[in-house]
Amino acid sequence: MPASDRFEWLFRGVSEIFPHQPDATDPAENLAQRIAQTDRPLRVKLGIDPTGADIHLGHSIPLRKLRSFQDAGHTAILIIGDFTARIGDPTGKSEVRNQLTPEQVTNNALAYLDRVRPILDFDTPGRLEVRYNSEWLSKLDLGQTLELLSTMTVSQMLAKEGFALRYARETPIFIHEFLYPLMQGYDSVAVQADVELGGTDQKFNLAVGRDLQRHFGLTPQFGLLMPILLGTDGVQKMSKSLDNYVGMGEDALSMYSKLEKTPDSIIKDYFTLLTDIGLDSPVERLRQAIPDNPRAAQKLLALEIVTQYHGRDRALQAQADAIALITKPGHNAGGDSIPEFSLSVVNFPAKIFQILSVSGLCSGSNDAKRQIQGGAVKLDGQSIDNIDLTYDDATALVGKVLQVGKKRFKRLVN
């Protein structure tokens, strides 16, 4: 049986494995062979820096791959970067990151662990180690730190994409930032990782881990890179700042309402990366089975993902609530009958209470403020409680449903 068939769970959704010689029988060059020939569970590392309290579905992708390794009998090593978070990963950053206090890191780490519990197996003995990298990094003395620094040249470090761009723009690069990839790489030495998971933007850091393991006389790990998830707009990577994200800690209705609007262009990627549903063209199968409901695939996707985080019952209730949100008495469910409001008549920048007033959902600005303060206003199922919430333009609003109470709602359009 071809390795790609035998290890479908391994290759699903993966952007790159390195080193990777698919026809090689050498377990040092072929991860599938390493798995097939090993006489012990592999140690599979994923590091997360608790630089913030919220994580979204994009962060779940390597976590889900880590769970696949657990289910295949291997040991997941989840490293909480409580020490490295004080520096902050400079990858993709155009300037130095603010250093966090130990208290901020601790609080964020607790929030992260709470978010990942629906994904990882915390219960089966031997399947998970949660480690904090302050355990070993805080104990490095100056001599050991100098040894780490001696393994890499300045030119090698400047080859890192973010550093190269900042250097070309003459944006300051601080010496402590050079330590970040070395520290992350040293994590692989400390836990003796066989495999390290990361996003495609982490290849440099994972490669440093291989180099340091070789330096300290260990077998170099494999690097396994997962793609960066596009956001719900289908254009830019998922990001809270771009308001195109689905938070792993969001309530069931908010998650469902966002996911059922997933653009066709990215829905197969969402099925591949965020669910365990088979890859035999679920979108096409659903369209053939339910030709009069072109959004059936989106509904299945939303139901499946919400179930992962909230359970089947709450997911089904969220689906029912989402239908009720956009259904008027006497009309069929599906959203076609929802009244629309054109944002072209709004003078931006505009506060949310002004939009409520102009749209006719409220009788005036004072009524809109009362409704917001009373918790009756939602945007795409997500409560709004800030009367001064301001939108610079219509970009973040188009296509969303603005609701007041249980019966007043309008879809916002250009």
Side-chain angles (χ1 to χ4, degrees), residues 176-194:
H176 76 280
E177 294 183 274
F178 280 174
L179 278 170
Y180 184 91
L182 291 167
M183 288 181 171
Q184 181 175 318
Y186 190 75
D187 290 347
S188 295
V189 174
V191 302
Q192 298 186 34
D194 296 298

mmCIF file of all heavy atoms in Angstrom, residues 176-194:
data_model
loop_
_atom_site.group_PDB
_atom_site.id
_atom_site.type_symbol
_atom_site.label_atom_id
_atom_site.label_comp_id
_atom_site.label_asym_id
_atom_site.label_seq_id
_atom_site.Cartn_x
_atom_site.Cartn_y
_atom_site.Cartn_z
ATOM 1 N N HIS A 176 18.117 40.974 21.243
ATOM 2 C CA HIS A 176 17.357 39.919 21.930
ATOM 3 C C HIS A 176 16.399 39.197 20.976
ATOM 4 O O HIS A 176 16.048 38.042 21.207
ATOM 5 C CB HIS A 176 16.587 40.497 23.123
ATOM 6 C CG HIS A 176 15.352 41.267 22.767
ATOM 7 N ND1 HIS A 176 15.392 42.573 22.319
ATOM 8 C CD2 HIS A 176 14.041 40.915 22.775
ATOM 9 C CE1 HIS A 176 14.161 42.991 22.079
ATOM 10 N NE2 HIS A 176 13.326 42.009 22.350
ATOM 11 N N GLU A 177 16.017 39.849 19.870
ATOM 12 C CA GLU A 177 15.136 39.193 18.897
ATOM 13 C C GLU A 177 15.850 38.054 18.186
ATOM 14 O O GLU A 177 15.217 37.074 17.782
ATOM 15 C CB GLU A 177 14.623 40.213 17.880
ATOM 16 C CG GLU A 177 13.711 41.282 18.479
ATOM 17 C CD GLU A 177 13.172 42.215 17.416
ATOM 18 O OE1 GLU A 177 13.868 43.203 17.096
ATOM 19 O OE2 GLU A 177 12.076 41.948 16.900
ATOM 20 N N PHE A 178 17.166 38.178 18.018
ATOM 21 C CA PHE A 178 17.940 37.100 17.415
ATOM 22 C C PHE A 178 17.896 35.834 18.268
ATOM 23 O O PHE A 178 18.094 34.730 17.768
ATOM 24 C CB PHE A 178 19.396 37.528 17.227
ATOM 25 C CG PHE A 178 19.642 38.396 16.025
ATOM 26 C CD1 PHE A 178 20.882 38.957 15.807
ATOM 27 C CD2 PHE A 178 18.639 38.660 15.103
ATOM 28 C CE1 PHE A 178 21.138 39.759 14.700
ATOM 29 C CE2 PHE A 178 18.870 39.460 13.989
ATOM 30 C CZ PHE A 178 20.122 40.001 13.791
ATOM 31 N N LEU A 179 17.654 36.007 19.552
ATOM 32 C CA LEU A 179 17.619 34.851 20.438
ATOM 33 C C LEU A 179 16.350 34.016 20.257
ATOM 34 O O LEU A 179 16.329 32.835 20.609
ATOM 35 C CB LEU A 179 17.720 35.303 21.897
ATOM 36 C CG LEU A 179 19.122 35.587 22.424
ATOM 37 C CD1 LEU A 179 19.036 36.257 23.790
ATOM 38 C CD2 LEU A 179 19.929 34.302 22.516
ATOM 39 N N TYR A 180 15.296 34.616 19.715
ATOM 40 C CA TYR A 180 14.014 33.907 19.679
ATOM 41 C C TYR A 180 14.094 32.581 18.913
ATOM 42 O O TYR A 180 13.738 31.522 19.464
ATOM 43 C CB TYR A 180 12.898 34.778 19.107
ATOM 44 C CG TYR A 180 11.571 34.051 19.167
ATOM 45 C CD1 TYR A 180 10.750 34.187 20.271
ATOM 46 C CD2 TYR A 180 11.169 33.173 18.159
ATOM 47 C CE1 TYR A 180 9.556 33.480 20.370
ATOM 48 C CE2 TYR A 180 9.996 32.456 18.248
ATOM 49 C CZ TYR A 180 9.196 32.618 19.348
ATOM 50 O OH TYR A 180 8.032 31.900 19.444
ATOM 51 N N PRO A 181 14.523 32.570 17.641
ATOM 52 C CA PRO A 181 14.564 31.280 16.937
ATOM 53 C C PRO A 181 15.520 30.288 17.582
ATOM 54 O O PRO A 181 15.280 29.071 17.540
ATOM 55 C CB PRO A 181 14.998 31.656 15.514
ATOM 56 C CG PRO A 181 15.578 33.011 15.615
ATOM 57 C CD PRO A 181 14.905 33.683 16.754
ATOM 58 N N LEU A 182 16.587 30.772 18.215
ATOM 59 C CA LEU A 182 17.508 29.875 18.901
ATOM 60 C C LEU A 182 16.850 29.257 20.128
ATOM 61 O O LEU A 182 17.037 28.071 20.421
ATOM 62 C CB LEU A 182 18.777 30.630 19.289
ATOM 63 C CG LEU A 182 19.674 31.040 18.117
ATOM 64 C CD1 LEU A 182 20.724 32.046 18.569
ATOM 65 C CD2 LEU A 182 20.336 29.816 17.493
ATOM 66 N N MET A 183 16.078 30.062 20.841
ATOM 67 C CA MET A 183 15.387 29.533 22.020
ATOM 68 C C MET A 183 14.303 28.534 21.626
ATOM 69 O O MET A 183 14.144 27.478 22.248
ATOM 70 C CB MET A 183 14.772 30.681 22.825
ATOM 71 C CG MET A 183 15.775 31.518 23.567
ATOM 72 S SD MET A 183 14.973 32.849 24.511
ATOM 73 C CE MET A 183 16.373 33.451 25.449
ATOM 74 N N GLN A 184 13.548 28.868 20.574
ATOM 75 C CA GLN A 184 12.521 27.933 20.117
ATOM 76 C C GLN A 184 13.184 26.648 19.638
ATOM 77 O O GLN A 184 12.680 25.541 19.867
ATOM 78 C CB GLN A 184 11.682 28.537 19.000
ATOM 79 C CG GLN A 184 10.574 27.587 18.513
ATOM 80 C CD GLN A 184 9.660 28.214 17.484
ATOM 81 O OE1 GLN A 184 9.265 29.365 17.599
ATOM 82 N NE2 GLN A 184 9.297 27.440 16.464
ATOM 83 N N GLY A 185 14.316 26.787 18.958
ATOM 84 C CA GLY A 185 15.034 25.613 18.505
ATOM 85 C C GLY A 185 15.564 24.786 19.667
ATOM 86 O O GLY A 185 15.556 23.552 19.622
ATOM 87 N N TYR A 186 15.999 25.461 20.726
ATOM 88 C CA TYR A 186 16.513 24.741 21.895
ATOM 89 C C TYR A 186 15.405 23.951 22.597
ATOM 90 O O TYR A 186 15.679 22.936 23.242
ATOM 91 C CB TYR A 186 17.167 25.715 22.875
ATOM 92 C CG TYR A 186 17.929 25.011 23.981
ATOM 93 C CD1 TYR A 186 19.157 24.414 23.721
ATOM 94 C CD2 TYR A 186 17.411 24.930 25.264
ATOM 95 C CE1 TYR A 186 19.858 23.756 24.730
ATOM 96 C CE2 TYR A 186 18.099 24.274 26.273
ATOM 97 C CZ TYR A 186 19.322 23.693 26.002
ATOM 98 O OH TYR A 186 20.001 23.030 26.995
ATOM 99 N N ASP A 187 14.159 24.401 22.456
ATOM 100 C CA ASP A 187 13.036 23.620 22.989
ATOM 101 C C ASP A 187 13.062 22.203 22.428
ATOM 102 O O ASP A 187 12.786 21.231 23.141
ATOM 103 C CB ASP A 187 11.696 24.268 22.617
ATOM 104 C CG ASP A 187 11.431 25.580 23.343
ATOM 105 O OD1 ASP A 187 12.160 25.880 24.305
ATOM 106 O OD2 ASP A 187 10.501 26.299 22.927
ATOM 107 N N SER A 188 13.397 22.065 21.142
ATOM 108 C CA SER A 188 13.438 20.752 20.511
ATOM 109 C C SER A 188 14.553 19.890 21.098
ATOM 110 O O SER A 188 14.429 18.660 21.178
ATOM 111 C CB SER A 188 13.634 20.889 18.997
ATOM 112 O OG SER A 188 12.517 21.520 18.403
ATOM 113 N N VAL A 189 15.642 20.526 21.503
ATOM 114 C CA VAL A 189 16.727 19.816 22.175
ATOM 115 C C VAL A 189 16.262 19.348 23.547
ATOM 116 O O VAL A 189 16.449 18.182 23.926
ATOM 117 C CB VAL A 189 17.968 20.718 22.309
ATOM 118 C CG1 VAL A 189 19.054 20.040 23.134
ATOM 119 C CG2 VAL A 189 18.501 21.106 20.936
ATOM 120 N N ALA A 190 15.624 20.241 24.286
ATOM 121 C CA ALA A 190 15.230 19.952 25.659
ATOM 122 C C ALA A 190 14.232 18.809 25.753
ATOM 123 O O ALA A 190 14.295 17.997 26.683
ATOM 124 C CB ALA A 190 14.655 21.211 26.308
ATOM 125 N N VAL A 191 13.299 18.736 24.806
ATOM 126 C CA VAL A 191 12.266 17.684 24.878
ATOM 127 C C VAL A 191 12.572 16.514 23.951
ATOM 128 O O VAL A 191 11.797 15.572 23.861
ATOM 129 C CB VAL A 191 10.872 18.255 24.554
ATOM 130 C CG1 VAL A 191 10.509 19.373 25.507
ATOM 131 C CG2 VAL A 191 10.767 18.723 23.104
ATOM 132 N N GLN A 192 13.727 16.590 23.246
ATOM 133 C CA GLN A 192 14.151 15.533 22.317
ATOM 134 C C GLN A 192 13.043 15.197 21.319
ATOM 135 O O GLN A 192 12.611 14.045 21.181
ATOM 136 C CB GLN A 192 14.583 14.288 23.096
ATOM 137 C CG GLN A 192 15.772 14.553 24.004
ATOM 138 C CD GLN A 192 16.299 13.302 24.681
ATOM 139 O OE1 GLN A 192 16.262 12.219 24.110
ATOM 140 N NE2 GLN A 192 16.803 13.451 25.893
ATOM 141 N N ALA A 193 12.590 16.231 20.605
ATOM 142 C CA ALA A 193 11.492 16.077 19.645
ATOM 143 C C ALA A 193 11.918 15.266 18.431
ATOM 144 O O ALA A 193 13.037 15.415 17.927
ATOM 145 C CB ALA A 193 11.005 17.450 19.196
ATOM 146 N N ASP A 194 11.022 14.400 17.975
ATOM 147 C CA ASP A 194 11.211 13.676 16.724
ATOM 148 C C ASP A 194 10.581 14.421 15.555
ATOM 149 O O ASP A 194 11.027 14.312 14.415
ATOM 150 C CB ASP A 194 10.570 12.289 16.805
ATOM 151 C CG ASP A 194 11.227 11.411 17.848
ATOM 152 O OD1 ASP A 194 12.415 11.116 17.708
ATOM 153 O OD2 ASP A 194 10.537 11.034 18.818
#
